[in-house]
PDB file of all heavy atoms in Angstrom:
ATOM      1  N   MET A  17      73.086 131.381   4.289  1.00  0.00           N
ATOM      2  CA  MET A  17      71.820 130.998   4.918  1.00  0.00           C
ATOM      3  C   MET A  17      72.077 129.948   5.995  1.00  0.00           C
ATOM      4  O   MET A  17      72.956 129.099   5.851  1.00  0.00           O
ATOM      5  CB  MET A  17      70.863 130.427   3.872  1.00  0.00           C
ATOM      6  CG  MET A  17      70.391 131.461   2.875  1.00  0.00           C
ATOM      7  SD  MET A  17      69.249 130.774   1.679  1.00  0.00           S
ATOM      8  CE  MET A  17      67.981 130.139   2.716  1.00  0.00           C
ATOM      9  N   LYS A  18      71.322 130.055   7.057  1.00  0.00           N
ATOM     10  CA  LYS A  18      71.421 129.061   8.119  1.00  0.00           C
ATOM     11  C   LYS A  18      70.835 127.746   7.604  1.00  0.00           C
ATOM     12  O   LYS A  18      69.758 127.727   7.002  1.00  0.00           O
ATOM     13  CB  LYS A  18      70.648 129.520   9.346  1.00  0.00           C
ATOM     14  CG  LYS A  18      70.743 128.573  10.502  1.00  0.00           C
ATOM     15  CD  LYS A  18      69.969 129.072  11.710  1.00  0.00           C
ATOM     16  CE  LYS A  18      70.060 128.051  12.809  1.00  0.00           C
ATOM     17  NZ  LYS A  18      69.202 128.385  13.942  1.00  0.00           N
ATOM     18  N   LYS A  19      71.566 126.668   7.819  1.00  0.00           N
ATOM     19  CA  LYS A  19      71.090 125.370   7.366  1.00  0.00           C
ATOM     20  C   LYS A  19      70.026 124.856   8.323  1.00  0.00           C
ATOM     21  O   LYS A  19      70.170 124.950   9.535  1.00  0.00           O
ATOM     22  CB  LYS A  19      72.242 124.370   7.301  1.00  0.00           C
ATOM     23  CG  LYS A  19      73.259 124.702   6.254  1.00  0.00           C
ATOM     24  CD  LYS A  19      74.339 123.654   6.207  1.00  0.00           C
ATOM     25  CE  LYS A  19      75.346 124.006   5.136  1.00  0.00           C
ATOM     26  NZ  LYS A  19      76.407 123.020   5.054  1.00  0.00           N
ATOM     27  N   THR A  20      68.985 124.352   7.770  1.00  0.00           N
ATOM     28  CA  THR A  20      67.937 123.759   8.586  1.00  0.00           C
ATOM     29  C   THR A  20      67.768 122.309   8.173  1.00  0.00           C
ATOM     30  O   THR A  20      67.872 121.974   6.986  1.00  0.00           O
ATOM     31  CB  THR A  20      66.602 124.498   8.420  1.00  0.00           C
ATOM     32  OG1 THR A  20      66.246 124.498   7.042  1.00  0.00           O
ATOM     33  CG2 THR A  20      66.708 125.919   8.923  1.00  0.00           C
ATOM     34  N   TYR A  21      67.557 121.469   9.131  1.00  0.00           N
ATOM     35  CA  TYR A  21      67.395 120.047   8.879  1.00  0.00           C
ATOM     36  C   TYR A  21      66.045 119.607   9.432  1.00  0.00           C
ATOM     37  O   TYR A  21      65.570 120.153  10.425  1.00  0.00           O
ATOM     38  CB  TYR A  21      68.507 119.248   9.560  1.00  0.00           C
ATOM     39  CG  TYR A  21      69.885 119.630   9.092  1.00  0.00           C
ATOM     40  CD1 TYR A  21      70.683 120.463   9.857  1.00  0.00           C
ATOM     41  CD2 TYR A  21      70.375 119.173   7.883  1.00  0.00           C
ATOM     42  CE1 TYR A  21      71.947 120.825   9.438  1.00  0.00           C
ATOM     43  CE2 TYR A  21      71.638 119.529   7.445  1.00  0.00           C
ATOM     44  CZ  TYR A  21      72.423 120.351   8.227  1.00  0.00           C
ATOM     45  OH  TYR A  21      73.671 120.704   7.798  1.00  0.00           O
ATOM     46  N   ASP A  22      65.482 118.619   8.800  1.00  0.00           N
ATOM     47  CA  ASP A  22      64.212 118.116   9.322  1.00  0.00           C
ATOM     48  C   ASP A  22      64.461 117.290  10.578  1.00  0.00           C
ATOM     49  O   ASP A  22      65.570 116.846  10.852  1.00  0.00           O
ATOM     50  CB  ASP A  22      63.449 117.324   8.260  1.00  0.00           C
ATOM     51  CG  ASP A  22      64.200 116.101   7.770  1.00  0.00           C
ATOM     52  OD1 ASP A  22      65.126 115.655   8.465  1.00  0.00           O
ATOM     53  OD2 ASP A  22      63.851 115.591   6.699  1.00  0.00           O
ATOM     54  N   SER A  23      63.438 117.114  11.359  1.00  0.00           N
ATOM     55  CA  SER A  23      63.590 116.448  12.664  1.00  0.00           C
ATOM     56  C   SER A  23      64.010 114.994  12.518  1.00  0.00           C
ATOM     57  O   SER A  23      64.732 114.467  13.368  1.00  0.00           O
ATOM     58  CB  SER A  23      62.301 116.558  13.465  1.00  0.00           C
ATOM     59  OG  SER A  23      61.246 115.923  12.764  1.00  0.00           O
ATOM     60  N   ASP A  24      63.607 114.319  11.438  1.00  0.00           N
ATOM     61  CA  ASP A  24      64.015 112.923  11.245  1.00  0.00           C
ATOM     62  C   ASP A  24      65.519 112.815  11.033  1.00  0.00           C
ATOM     63  O   ASP A  24      66.176 111.914  11.550  1.00  0.00           O
ATOM     64  CB  ASP A  24      63.280 112.300  10.051  1.00  0.00           C
ATOM     65  CG  ASP A  24      61.795 112.102  10.330  1.00  0.00           C
ATOM     66  OD1 ASP A  24      61.418 112.079  11.522  1.00  0.00           O
ATOM     67  OD2 ASP A  24      61.034 111.984   9.352  1.00  0.00           O
ATOM     68  N   THR A  25      66.079 113.734  10.271  1.00  0.00           N
ATOM     69  CA  THR A  25      67.520 113.721  10.017  1.00  0.00           C
ATOM     70  C   THR A  25      68.289 113.993  11.298  1.00  0.00           C
ATOM     71  O   THR A  25      69.285 113.337  11.597  1.00  0.00           O
ATOM     72  CB  THR A  25      67.880 114.766   8.948  1.00  0.00           C
ATOM     73  OG1 THR A  25      67.143 114.488   7.758  1.00  0.00           O
ATOM     74  CG2 THR A  25      69.362 114.757   8.639  1.00  0.00           C
ATOM     75  N   VAL A  26      67.824 114.966  12.075  1.00  0.00           N
ATOM     76  CA  VAL A  26      68.478 115.300  13.341  1.00  0.00           C
ATOM     77  C   VAL A  26      68.408 114.108  14.306  1.00  0.00           C
ATOM     78  O   VAL A  26      69.407 113.749  14.929  1.00  0.00           O
ATOM     79  CB  VAL A  26      67.840 116.557  13.969  1.00  0.00           C
ATOM     80  CG1 VAL A  26      68.367 116.783  15.377  1.00  0.00           C
ATOM     81  CG2 VAL A  26      68.122 117.770  13.099  1.00  0.00           C
ATOM     82  N   ALA A  27      67.247 113.485  14.387  1.00  0.00           N
ATOM     83  CA  ALA A  27      67.088 112.338  15.290  1.00  0.00           C
ATOM     84  C   ALA A  27      67.976 111.177  14.858  1.00  0.00           C
ATOM     85  O   ALA A  27      68.611 110.520  15.697  1.00  0.00           O
ATOM     86  CB  ALA A  27      65.630 111.899  15.328  1.00  0.00           C
ATOM     87  N   ALA A  28      68.079 110.936  13.573  1.00  0.00           N
ATOM     88  CA  ALA A  28      68.927 109.852  13.077  1.00  0.00           C
ATOM     89  C   ALA A  28      70.391 110.131  13.381  1.00  0.00           C
ATOM     90  O   ALA A  28      71.142 109.239  13.797  1.00  0.00           O
ATOM     91  CB  ALA A  28      68.730 109.666  11.574  1.00  0.00           C
ATOM     92  N   TYR A  29      70.805 111.377  13.204  1.00  0.00           N
ATOM     93  CA  TYR A  29      72.190 111.754  13.501  1.00  0.00           C
ATOM     94  C   TYR A  29      72.483 111.585  14.993  1.00  0.00           C
ATOM     95  O   TYR A  29      73.526 111.033  15.364  1.00  0.00           O
ATOM     96  CB  TYR A  29      72.430 113.210  13.076  1.00  0.00           C
ATOM     97  CG  TYR A  29      73.794 113.719  13.448  1.00  0.00           C
ATOM     98  CD1 TYR A  29      74.904 113.368  12.693  1.00  0.00           C
ATOM     99  CD2 TYR A  29      73.977 114.530  14.560  1.00  0.00           C
ATOM    100  CE1 TYR A  29      76.163 113.820  13.037  1.00  0.00           C
ATOM    101  CE2 TYR A  29      75.225 114.996  14.907  1.00  0.00           C
ATOM    102  CZ  TYR A  29      76.324 114.638  14.139  1.00  0.00           C
ATOM    103  OH  TYR A  29      77.573 115.087  14.486  1.00  0.00           O
ATOM    104  N   GLN A  30      71.587 112.052  15.828  1.00  0.00           N
ATOM    105  CA  GLN A  30      71.808 111.934  17.274  1.00  0.00           C
ATOM    106  C   GLN A  30      71.837 110.476  17.714  1.00  0.00           C
ATOM    107  O   GLN A  30      72.646 110.094  18.556  1.00  0.00           O
ATOM    108  CB  GLN A  30      70.723 112.703  18.029  1.00  0.00           C
ATOM    109  CG  GLN A  30      70.853 114.195  17.882  1.00  0.00           C
ATOM    110  CD  GLN A  30      69.674 114.959  18.454  1.00  0.00           C
ATOM    111  OE1 GLN A  30      68.593 114.405  18.629  1.00  0.00           O
ATOM    112  NE2 GLN A  30      69.874 116.249  18.716  1.00  0.00           N
ATOM    113  N   THR A  31      70.989 109.644  17.139  1.00  0.00           N
ATOM    114  CA  THR A  31      70.984 108.216  17.464  1.00  0.00           C
ATOM    115  C   THR A  31      72.291 107.572  17.042  1.00  0.00           C
ATOM    116  O   THR A  31      72.876 106.767  17.780  1.00  0.00           O
ATOM    117  CB  THR A  31      69.799 107.516  16.777  1.00  0.00           C
ATOM    118  OG1 THR A  31      68.590 108.121  17.236  1.00  0.00           O
ATOM    119  CG2 THR A  31      69.781 106.029  17.082  1.00  0.00           C
ATOM    120  N   ALA A  32      72.776 107.933  15.866  1.00  0.00           N
ATOM    121  CA  ALA A  32      74.051 107.383  15.386  1.00  0.00           C
ATOM    122  C   ALA A  32      75.200 107.803  16.292  1.00  0.00           C
ATOM    123  O   ALA A  32      76.084 106.993  16.610  1.00  0.00           O
ATOM    124  CB  ALA A  32      74.305 107.829  13.953  1.00  0.00           C
ATOM    125  N   GLN A  33      75.203 109.057  16.717  1.00  0.00           N
ATOM    126  CA  GLN A  33      76.260 109.534  17.609  1.00  0.00           C
ATOM    127  C   GLN A  33      76.221 108.807  18.948  1.00  0.00           C
ATOM    128  O   GLN A  33      77.258 108.413  19.485  1.00  0.00           O
ATOM    129  CB  GLN A  33      76.131 111.051  17.829  1.00  0.00           C
ATOM    130  CG  GLN A  33      76.476 111.860  16.611  1.00  0.00           C
ATOM    131  CD  GLN A  33      77.910 111.627  16.184  1.00  0.00           C
ATOM    132  OE1 GLN A  33      78.817 111.598  16.998  1.00  0.00           O
ATOM    133  NE2 GLN A  33      78.114 111.438  14.895  1.00  0.00           N
ATOM    134  N   GLN A  34      75.035 108.619  19.500  1.00  0.00           N
ATOM    135  CA  GLN A  34      74.890 107.910  20.780  1.00  0.00           C
ATOM    136  C   GLN A  34      75.349 106.464  20.641  1.00  0.00           C
ATOM    137  O   GLN A  34      76.039 105.933  21.504  1.00  0.00           O
ATOM    138  CB  GLN A  34      73.439 107.969  21.263  1.00  0.00           C
ATOM    139  CG  GLN A  34      73.180 107.190  22.535  1.00  0.00           C
ATOM    140  CD  GLN A  34      74.002 107.690  23.712  1.00  0.00           C
ATOM    141  OE1 GLN A  34      74.349 108.852  23.790  1.00  0.00           O
ATOM    142  NE2 GLN A  34      74.328 106.806  24.622  1.00  0.00           N
ATOM    143  N   THR A  35      74.965 105.826  19.540  1.00  0.00           N
ATOM    144  CA  THR A  35      75.373 104.440  19.307  1.00  0.00           C
ATOM    145  C   THR A  35      76.883 104.345  19.191  1.00  0.00           C
ATOM    146  O   THR A  35      77.498 103.430  19.733  1.00  0.00           O
ATOM    147  CB  THR A  35      74.700 103.903  18.027  1.00  0.00           C
ATOM    148  OG1 THR A  35      73.283 104.009  18.180  1.00  0.00           O
ATOM    149  CG2 THR A  35      75.079 102.470  17.756  1.00  0.00           C
ATOM    150  N   ASN A  36      77.489 105.302  18.512  1.00  0.00           N
ATOM    151  CA  ASN A  36      78.939 105.312  18.357  1.00  0.00           C
ATOM    152  C   ASN A  36      79.636 105.466  19.707  1.00  0.00           C
ATOM    153  O   ASN A  36      80.599 104.753  19.998  1.00  0.00           O
ATOM    154  CB  ASN A  36      79.354 106.438  17.403  1.00  0.00           C
ATOM    155  CG  ASN A  36      80.843 106.440  17.139  1.00  0.00           C
ATOM    156  OD1 ASN A  36      81.434 105.393  16.903  1.00  0.00           O
ATOM    157  ND2 ASN A  36      81.439 107.606  17.185  1.00  0.00           N
ATOM    158  N   ARG A  37      79.145 106.399  20.536  1.00  0.00           N
ATOM    159  CA  ARG A  37      79.766 106.596  21.854  1.00  0.00           C
ATOM    160  C   ARG A  37      79.628 105.339  22.713  1.00  0.00           C
ATOM    161  O   ARG A  37      80.553 104.949  23.425  1.00  0.00           O
ATOM    162  CB  ARG A  37      79.137 107.802  22.555  1.00  0.00           C
ATOM    163  CG  ARG A  37      79.584 109.138  21.975  1.00  0.00           C
ATOM    164  CD  ARG A  37      79.142 110.306  22.838  1.00  0.00           C
ATOM    165  NE  ARG A  37      77.719 110.477  22.894  1.00  0.00           N
ATOM    166  CZ  ARG A  37      77.002 111.231  22.059  1.00  0.00           C
ATOM    167  NH1 ARG A  37      77.577 111.877  21.086  1.00  0.00           N
ATOM    168  NH2 ARG A  37      75.698 111.334  22.211  1.00  0.00           N
ATOM    169  N   GLU A  38      78.476 104.695  22.642  1.00  0.00           N
ATOM    170  CA  GLU A  38      78.275 103.484  23.444  1.00  0.00           C
ATOM    171  C   GLU A  38      79.162 102.350  22.931  1.00  0.00           C
ATOM    172  O   GLU A  38      79.666 101.549  23.710  1.00  0.00           O
ATOM    173  CB  GLU A  38      76.794 103.089  23.411  1.00  0.00           C
ATOM    174  CG  GLU A  38      76.371 102.193  24.538  1.00  0.00           C
ATOM    175  CD  GLU A  38      76.674 102.745  25.922  1.00  0.00           C
ATOM    176  OE1 GLU A  38      76.398 103.930  26.192  1.00  0.00           O
ATOM    177  OE2 GLU A  38      77.193 101.987  26.762  1.00  0.00           O
ATOM    178  N   ALA A  39      79.365 102.298  21.628  1.00  0.00           N
ATOM    179  CA  ALA A  39      80.257 101.274  21.056  1.00  0.00           C
ATOM    180  C   ALA A  39      81.689 101.480  21.551  1.00  0.00           C
ATOM    181  O   ALA A  39      82.382 100.507  21.890  1.00  0.00           O
ATOM    182  CB  ALA A  39      80.216 101.322  19.536  1.00  0.00           C
ATOM    183  N   VAL A  40      82.131 102.715  21.619  1.00  0.00           N
ATOM    184  CA  VAL A  40      83.479 102.998  22.121  1.00  0.00           C
ATOM    185  C   VAL A  40      83.592 102.578  23.588  1.00  0.00           C
ATOM    186  O   VAL A  40      84.598 101.986  23.999  1.00  0.00           O
ATOM    187  CB  VAL A  40      83.823 104.499  21.938  1.00  0.00           C
ATOM    188  CG1 VAL A  40      85.076 104.880  22.702  1.00  0.00           C
ATOM    189  CG2 VAL A  40      83.972 104.821  20.462  1.00  0.00           C
ATOM    190  N   ARG A  41      82.570 102.844  24.378  1.00  0.00           N
ATOM    191  CA  ARG A  41      82.590 102.435  25.790  1.00  0.00           C
ATOM    192  C   ARG A  41      82.656 100.913  25.911  1.00  0.00           C
ATOM    193  O   ARG A  41      83.379 100.377  26.762  1.00  0.00           O
ATOM    194  CB  ARG A  41      81.353 102.967  26.509  1.00  0.00           C
ATOM    195  CG  ARG A  41      81.338 104.468  26.630  1.00  0.00           C
ATOM    196  CD  ARG A  41      80.036 104.953  27.258  1.00  0.00           C
ATOM    197  NE  ARG A  41      79.904 106.371  27.066  1.00  0.00           N
ATOM    198  CZ  ARG A  41      78.832 106.989  26.609  1.00  0.00           C
ATOM    199  NH1 ARG A  41      77.742 106.296  26.304  1.00  0.00           N
ATOM    200  NH2 ARG A  41      78.799 108.287  26.465  1.00  0.00           N
ATOM    201  N   THR A  42      81.912 100.220  25.065  1.00  0.00           N
ATOM    202  CA  THR A  42      81.924  98.760  25.085  1.00  0.00           C
ATOM    203  C   THR A  42      83.301  98.236  24.695  1.00  0.00           C
ATOM    204  O   THR A  42      83.816  97.287  25.308  1.00  0.00           O
ATOM    205  CB  THR A  42      80.850  98.203  24.122  1.00  0.00           C
ATOM    206  OG1 THR A  42      79.576  98.692  24.542  1.00  0.00           O
ATOM    207  CG2 THR A  42      80.839  96.690  24.112  1.00  0.00           C
ATOM    208  N   ILE A  43      83.914  98.843  23.696  1.00  0.00           N
ATOM    209  CA  ILE A  43      85.263  98.442  23.276  1.00  0.00           C
ATOM    210  C   ILE A  43      86.251  98.670  24.420  1.00  0.00           C
ATOM    211  O   ILE A  43      87.113  97.820  24.682  1.00  0.00           O
ATOM    212  CB  ILE A  43      85.682  99.210  22.011  1.00  0.00           C
ATOM    213  CG1 ILE A  43      84.858  98.720  20.819  1.00  0.00           C
ATOM    214  CG2 ILE A  43      87.164  99.077  21.741  1.00  0.00           C
ATOM    215  CD1 ILE A  43      84.969  99.591  19.590  1.00  0.00           C
ATOM    216  N   ASN A  44      86.129  99.795  25.122  1.00  0.00           N
ATOM    217  CA  ASN A  44      87.013 100.059  26.266  1.00  0.00           C
ATOM    218  C   ASN A  44      86.855  98.990  27.346  1.00  0.00           C
ATOM    219  O   ASN A  44      87.846  98.495  27.894  1.00  0.00           O
ATOM    220  CB  ASN A  44      86.717 101.433  26.866  1.00  0.00           C
ATOM    221  CG  ASN A  44      87.172 102.563  25.988  1.00  0.00           C
ATOM    222  OD1 ASN A  44      87.973 102.375  25.075  1.00  0.00           O
ATOM    223  ND2 ASN A  44      86.656 103.750  26.227  1.00  0.00           N
ATOM    224  N   ALA A  45      85.619  98.639  27.665  1.00  0.00           N
ATOM    225  CA  ALA A  45      85.363  97.631  28.697  1.00  0.00           C
ATOM    226  C   ALA A  45      85.873  96.260  28.253  1.00  0.00           C
ATOM    227  O   ALA A  45      86.470  95.519  29.045  1.00  0.00           O
ATOM    228  CB  ALA A  45      83.875  97.563  29.021  1.00  0.00           C
ATOM    229  N   THR A  46      85.655  95.925  26.987  1.00  0.00           N
ATOM    230  CA  THR A  46      86.143  94.644  26.468  1.00  0.00           C
ATOM    231  C   THR A  46      87.664  94.608  26.494  1.00  0.00           C
ATOM    232  O   THR A  46      88.265  93.573  26.810  1.00  0.00           O
ATOM    233  CB  THR A  46      85.624  94.429  25.029  1.00  0.00           C
ATOM    234  OG1 THR A  46      84.201  94.486  25.039  1.00  0.00           O
ATOM    235  CG2 THR A  46      86.068  93.102  24.469  1.00  0.00           C
ATOM    236  N   GLY A  47      88.292  95.729  26.177  1.00  0.00           N
ATOM    237  CA  GLY A  47      89.754  95.812  26.239  1.00  0.00           C
ATOM    238  C   GLY A  47      90.272  95.589  27.649  1.00  0.00           C
ATOM    239  O   GLY A  47      91.277  94.902  27.851  1.00  0.00           O
ATOM    240  N   ALA A  48      89.581  96.147  28.635  1.00  0.00           N
ATOM    241  CA  ALA A  48      89.985  95.944  30.030  1.00  0.00           C
ATOM    242  C   ALA A  48      89.862  94.474  30.423  1.00  0.00           C
ATOM    243  O   ALA A  48      90.731  93.933  31.113  1.00  0.00           O
ATOM    244  CB  ALA A  48      89.144  96.808  30.968  1.00  0.00           C
ATOM    245  N   GLU A  49      88.805  93.822  29.972  1.00  0.00           N
ATOM    246  CA  GLU A  49      88.637  92.392  30.264  1.00  0.00           C
ATOM    247  C   GLU A  49      89.741  91.569  29.598  1.00  0.00           C
ATOM    248  O   GLU A  49      90.275  90.632  30.196  1.00  0.00           O
ATOM    249  CB  GLU A  49      87.265  91.903  29.781  1.00  0.00           C
ATOM    250  CG  GLU A  49      86.110  92.419  30.596  1.00  0.00           C
ATOM    251  CD  GLU A  49      86.121  91.903  32.030  1.00  0.00           C
ATOM    252  OE1 GLU A  49      86.603  90.790  32.284  1.00  0.00           O
ATOM    253  OE2 GLU A  49      85.629  92.630  32.910  1.00  0.00           O
ATOM    254  N   GLN A  50      90.094  91.924  28.368  1.00  0.00           N
ATOM    255  CA  GLN A  50      91.146  91.189  27.665  1.00  0.00           C
ATOM    256  C   GLN A  50      92.501  91.404  28.332  1.00  0.00           C
ATOM    257  O   GLN A  50      93.279  90.467  28.491  1.00  0.00           O
ATOM    258  CB  GLN A  50      91.212  91.613  26.188  1.00  0.00           C
ATOM    259  CG  GLN A  50      92.230  90.836  25.374  1.00  0.00           C
ATOM    260  CD  GLN A  50      91.958  89.345  25.383  1.00  0.00           C
ATOM    261  OE1 GLN A  50      90.847  88.913  25.151  1.00  0.00           O
ATOM    262  NE2 GLN A  50      92.975  88.544  25.666  1.00  0.00           N
ATOM    263  N   ARG A  51      92.782  92.634  28.730  1.00  0.00           N
ATOM    264  CA  ARG A  51      94.042  92.895  29.438  1.00  0.00           C
ATOM    265  C   ARG A  51      94.095  92.106  30.738  1.00  0.00           C
ATOM    266  O   ARG A  51      95.134  91.555  31.108  1.00  0.00           O
ATOM    267  CB  ARG A  51      94.202  94.393  29.701  1.00  0.00           C
ATOM    268  CG  ARG A  51      94.519  95.201  28.463  1.00  0.00           C
ATOM    269  CD  ARG A  51      94.877  96.641  28.790  1.00  0.00           C
ATOM    270  NE  ARG A  51      93.834  97.368  29.493  1.00  0.00           N
ATOM    271  CZ  ARG A  51      92.837  98.013  28.904  1.00  0.00           C
ATOM    272  NH1 ARG A  51      92.717  98.001  27.607  1.00  0.00           N
ATOM    273  NH2 ARG A  51      91.946  98.669  29.633  1.00  0.00           N
ATOM    274  N   SER A  52      92.971  92.033  31.434  1.00  0.00           N
ATOM    275  CA  SER A  52      92.901  91.261  32.673  1.00  0.00           C
ATOM    276  C   SER A  52      93.195  89.790  32.404  1.00  0.00           C
ATOM    277  O   SER A  52      93.961  89.154  33.145  1.00  0.00           O
ATOM    278  CB  SER A  52      91.514  91.422  33.294  1.00  0.00           C
ATOM    279  OG  SER A  52      91.382  90.607  34.428  1.00  0.00           O
ATOM    280  N   ALA A  53      92.597  89.248  31.356  1.00  0.00           N
ATOM    281  CA  ALA A  53      92.848  87.844  31.008  1.00  0.00           C
ATOM    282  C   ALA A  53      94.306  87.629  30.637  1.00  0.00           C
ATOM    283  O   ALA A  53      94.915  86.611  31.013  1.00  0.00           O
ATOM    284  CB  ALA A  53      91.934  87.422  29.860  1.00  0.00           C
ATOM    285  N   ASP A  54      94.905  88.583  29.913  1.00  0.00           N
ATOM    286  CA  ASP A  54      96.321  88.468  29.545  1.00  0.00           C
ATOM    287  C   ASP A  54      97.221  88.509  30.772  1.00  0.00           C
ATOM    288  O   ASP A  54      98.175  87.737  30.884  1.00  0.00           O
ATOM    289  CB  ASP A  54      96.715  89.594  28.577  1.00  0.00           C
ATOM    290  CG  ASP A  54      96.042  89.472  27.220  1.00  0.00           C
ATOM    291  OD1 ASP A  54      95.510  88.381  26.905  1.00  0.00           O
ATOM    292  OD2 ASP A  54      96.037  90.472  26.477  1.00  0.00           O
ATOM    293  N   HIS A  55      96.909  89.425  31.706  1.00  0.00           N
ATOM    294  CA  HIS A  55      97.716  89.515  32.943  1.00  0.00           C
ATOM    295  C   HIS A  55      97.621  88.212  33.741  1.00  0.00           C
ATOM    296  O   HIS A  55      98.623  87.720  34.269  1.00  0.00           O
ATOM    297  CB  HIS A  55      97.240  90.669  33.824  1.00  0.00           C
ATOM    298  CG  HIS A  55      97.431  92.010  33.206  1.00  0.00           C
ATOM    299  ND1 HIS A  55      96.646  93.083  33.543  1.00  0.00           N
ATOM    300  CD2 HIS A  55      98.293  92.472  32.278  1.00  0.00           C
ATOM    301  CE1 HIS A  55      97.015  94.135  32.843  1.00  0.00           C
ATOM    302  NE2 HIS A  55      98.019  93.782  32.065  1.00  0.00           N
TER     303      HIS A  55
END
């Protein structure tokens, strides 16, 4: 059977994924700043 999810679950999952991607981008930018300070 095809799995169906309610809209709240889908929205929560999508929000979590977006937050995770933005966190990775922030970590990348912070890493660049730290490398700059080290150089």
Side-chain angles (χ1 to χ4, degrees):
M17 292 181 57
K18 182 180 178 187
K19 293 182 180 180
T20 57
Y21 300 101
D22 61 19
S23 61
D24 291 340
T25 302
V26 171
Y29 175 78
Q30 290 172 340
T31 300
Q33 290 299 316
Q34 176 61 29
T35 302
N36 183 45
R37 286 190 294 270
E38 200 55 46
V40 168
R41 293 176 194 131
T42 301
I43 290 168
N44 289 343
T46 303
E49 289 295 330
Q50 183 59 49
R51 288 189 301 273
S52 175
D54 293 344
H55 295 154

